[in-house]
Amino acid sequence: MALTVRDLTEVDSLGLVLVAGARGADREISWAHAIELPDPAPYLAGGELVMTTGINIGADADAQFAYVARLAAAGTAALAVDTGTTIADIPPAVRAAGDQLGIPVLEVPASTPFIAIARAVIDALKADELRSVQRVVDDQEVLARATLRGGIPGVVDALADRLSATVVVVDNDGTVLAAGGDDQERLIAVLGEQVQPARRHGGVHVTADGDAYVTIQNLRAAQPVRGRLAIRTSEPMSNADRLLVAHAVSLISIAIEKPARVVDAEQLLRTAVAREMISGTGAVDGAVLRYFGFEPGGDIVVASFTGAGPLLAAQHVLGRVLTSFLMAPMGDEIVIIVPAAGSRRRIRAVIEELEQKTGITVSGGMSRTVGPTDLSTALEQARIAAHSGSGRFTEFGELSPMGVLLEGRSTAELRVLAAPLDALAGGEDLIPTLAAFLRRNGQMEAAATELAVHRHTMRNRMRRISQLLGDDLESADTRAQLWLALKAWQLLASRRPG
């Protein structure tokens, strides 16, 4: 914690008294400087405690006020006036200027030499610097432990926590490898906009984002740039913060280089095997399957994650939670193949870990258990479940036949399926009437009771519906088509905002 003017007045051995400018008592002191010039301002950098015997503070009230005003304009932290050498009391004009300009004025007793005040300030600054260095060392240890436990995502989370900032790591293609802190989407957007300026500035690029500051640094273990680290803070970073960021850059760069040479080789093989199984273009060697925990010829389950957060974080969670799995990023989804035994429990554990790690709701779908030769069918089931889950993770076995038929459809496809009802859109009660008629298997009395209308009203409506549709509603084929159209129409209505 930096030394403030208030802190200095609480040092009993100095005996300093705050006589004016109390509203600036929490100003931080960066140095203590004794100077007797009529205008010390040109020799000040800001933040100093200016000490004077009062010999040149001005002969009259106007000159004294102007003296204090020049100190205030230079950013002086406080003015300390000795009352035992040249003057016996601090002039009223100096006190008035301190109150008006908000610059603290300290009365120094005759028994307190300036060197004692300077020593107190220097000792406090050295102690603060030592605390800052110790904090950096402690934080570096935290980052190192986070690297061992959680890889790059662990470092990012720890750095975001220590700096109270948002942190994002991307590779050279812009893929988000890990993210931590609030406003992640905002920082990712800014990072995308600043790619070219960051490249032109080389190692470090700082830019403003509204009231926040964004710092972008290249990540390189050898000569090639492997990616970028972006940090969004509400205040400019201190020297200690920048030291911590430099340490994080080193850890992340090394961690990126390691997957590039060791871990990534295994992941490339894992991905290649998964793609080979999905494409079905050739048989996968049994020894390779056993290496990844699969029994050749054993049943499998496929999961498709369409919303699982940053790719590297997902890979890290999968590797930590699952002992046997194959994985392949495919466009906007991550496809996972696992042995059937205990698959539901293991996939749910992955989802819980991902949601806890990323803070998002994981979406996707999981297939039924299939044989290894039916992997394409399992993948299709997982994708149908993923697209029908309304933003959550869904198992194919949970879907009804109607859900399989419709819920995975796009809005455009649903409009085509619901098109037969367009002719009824002009009548306020016609579509609900048709729905009741079909639900009651064409029984007029039962449908009228459900709608709470007279049976004659029901017959008149159905006659009107038959004319508008131009179909025989007694036909089983017609009723089936209309029932499908109604379900598509209802699903479309549920997707509309509000």
Side-chain angles (χ1 to χ4, degrees), residues 275-298:
R275 292 184 184 278
E276 184 70 19
M277 292 179 66
I278 291 170
S279 66
T281 55
V284 178
D285 186 86
V288 175
L289 289 176
R290 288 191 183 93
Y291 176 81
F292 289 114
F294 289 78
E295 190 62 36

Side-chain angles (χ1 to χ4, degrees), residues 4 11 33 36 127 150 208 253 276 321 343 420 435:
T4 66
V11 180
H33 186 35
E36 299 293 0
S253 298
E276 184 70 19
V321 177
S343 57

Side-chain angles (χ1 to χ4, degrees), residues 298-312:
D299 290 342
I300 58 173
V301 166
V302 175
S304 169
F305 289 100
T306 53
L311 175 61
L312 199 58

Side-chain angles (χ1 to χ4, degrees), residues 306 348 361-365 385-386 388-395 398-399:
T306 53
R348 289 295 174 182
T361 300
V362 173
S363 58
S388 63
S390 302
R392 59 183 179 86
F393 193 87
T394 306
E395 297 180 31
E398 297 174 348
L399 299 177

